[in-house]
């Protein structure tokens, strides 16, 4: 999962050059604000969503998964980092047809590894996620399970897991994403049918580069690129905007 952006860099760069309102690739579904208002950089991003119960899209034994997250700087490739936090889900079907489920809350300062948060989440839980930078090399993310009332705030900074200078978060873009993530082998996990995930209360904070004043930015503010997962020449997701600060991703 620490190669979250690797498979999309070529298509993403082409989309940026064309300022295309829609981008099709293998990993991401959802929406990205690709630029903050003039004279500002993004400092925070948040949303609320309900954890879906995944189902296998095909018959037979196997494991399928996905995740929902919010992030800063995921749209552009290195040298900047990607700050993100969210929830992943998996469904495993045994040879006898028995189904088991796994749900994990996590955070990541890409390209460092992903870290699991010590909070128990389940299908149907309402989750609020908020990530905010303090400096270009320090941040925190809060995951609040509204259903259980449990909240955890995690300070984050680069973990020196890669050689060379630590990658900063520059605040160039913000993301609300459903992802077909990379598993521990480095390949994408087969994508689970998640039915739908709706990000509500979506908000990003743009900080004025001179005064430091904060301004909220919403997904209808412009500079938005819709992400569509396409695998084997088939679109697996669609993204719509039911309200001013809502993003609905459907399988």
């Amino acid at each position: 999962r620490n190669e979250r952006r690797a498979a999309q860099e070529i298509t993403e760069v082409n989309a940026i050059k064309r300022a295309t309102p829609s981008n099709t690739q293998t990993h991401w579904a959802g929406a990205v604000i690709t630029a903050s208002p003039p004279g500002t950089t993004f400092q925070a991003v948040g949303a609320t969503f309900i954890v879906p119960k995944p189902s296998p899209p095909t018959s037979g034994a196997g494991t399928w998964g996905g995740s929902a997250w919010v992030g800063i700087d995921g749209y552009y490739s290195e040298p900047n980092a990607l700050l993100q936090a969210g929830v992943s889900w998996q469904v495993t079907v045994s040879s006898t047809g028995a189904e088991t489920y796994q749900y994990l809350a996590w955070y990541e300062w890409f390209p460092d590894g992903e870290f699991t948060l010590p909070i128990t989440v389940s299908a149907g839980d309402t989750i609020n996620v908020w990530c905010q930078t303090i400096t270009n090399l320090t941040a925190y993310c809060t995951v609040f399970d509204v259903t259980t009332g449990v909240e955890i705030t995690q300070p984050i900074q680069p973990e020196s897991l890669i050689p060379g200078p630590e990658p900063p978060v520059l605040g160039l873009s913000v993301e609300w994403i459903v992802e077909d993530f990379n598993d521990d082998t480095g390949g994408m996990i087969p994508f689970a049918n998640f039915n739908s995930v709706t990000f509500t209360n979506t908000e990003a904070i743009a900080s004025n580069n001179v005064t430091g004043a904060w301004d909220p930015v919403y997904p209808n503010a412009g500079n938005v690129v819709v992400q569509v997962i396409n695998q084997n020449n088939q679109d697996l997701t669609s993204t719509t905007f039911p309200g001013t600060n809502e993003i609905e991703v459907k399988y």
Side-chain angles (χ1 to χ4, degrees):
R1 300 181 191 177
N2 61 355
E3 297 178 0
R4 235 170 245 286
R5 289 187 294 181
Q8 65 185 37
E9 289 180 359
I10 294 176
T11 53
E12 292 287 336
V13 169
N14 290 336
I16 294 166
K17 291 179 179 178
R18 296 193 304 267
T20 310
S22 179
N23 181 37
T24 299
Q25 34 78 36
T26 57
H27 276 61
W28 285 13
V32 177
I33 301 180
T34 60
S36 59
T40 70
T41 53
F42 287 118
Q43 189 169 353
V45 63
T48 301
F49 60 89
I50 296 175
V51 179
K53 182 178 181 179
S55 61
T58 59
S59 60
T63 296
W64 298 262
S67 64
W69 53 267
V70 304
I72 303 175
D73 275 1
Y75 191 72
Y76 299 102
S77 55
E78 288 80 357
N80 58 302
L82 163 58
L83 172 67
Q84 58 183 162
V87 172
S88 65
W89 52 81
Q90 291 186 28
V91 54
T92 298
V93 180
S94 71
S95 58
T96 63
E99 295 184 356
T100 56
Y101 301 88
Q102 182 183 53
Y103 305 92
L104 296 174
W106 54 268
Y107 70 93
E108 183 172 17
W109 186 296
F110 179 95
D112 289 346
E114 178 181 293
F115 295 88
T116 301
L117 290 167
I119 180 174
T120 300
V121 297
S122 302
D125 284 4
T126 297
I127 304 294
N128 180 269
V129 184
W130 180 264
C131 288
Q132 181 174 324
T133 58
I134 302 170
T135 71
N136 285 347
L137 290 172
T138 58
Y140 72 88
C141 289
T142 297
V143 175
F144 174 41
D145 190 324
V146 179
T147 302
T148 64
V150 177
E151 177 178 294
I152 185 167
T153 296
Q154 177 66 47
I156 306 171
Q157 62 185 28
E159 297 289 335
S160 300
L161 299 181
I162 59 173
E166 299 290 1
V169 173
L170 301 179
L172 303 179
S173 66
V174 287
E175 299 84 31
W176 297 270
I177 297 296
V178 173
E179 181 177 10
D180 185 2
F181 58 79
N182 288 353
D183 61 21
D184 294 334
T185 68
M188 287 187 299
I189 191 170
F191 199 36
N193 181 348
F194 59 90
N195 190 20
S196 70
V197 169
T198 300
F199 296 97
T200 60
N201 303 315
T202 59
E203 182 181 29
I205 297 296
S207 176
N208 188 286
N209 295 333
V210 176
T211 67
W214 282 17
D215 290 310
V217 182
Y218 304 102
N220 68 339
N223 297 318
V224 174
V225 173
V226 170
Q227 306 291 299
V228 177
I229 291 178
N230 182 289
Q231 297 176 2
N232 299 317
N233 296 316
Q234 179 180 3
D235 287 346
L236 299 185
T237 64
S238 64
T239 299
T240 57
F241 301 85
T244 299
N245 61 344
E246 296 182 345
I247 303 165
E248 184 178 39
V249 183
K250 289 185 177 180
Y251 183 87

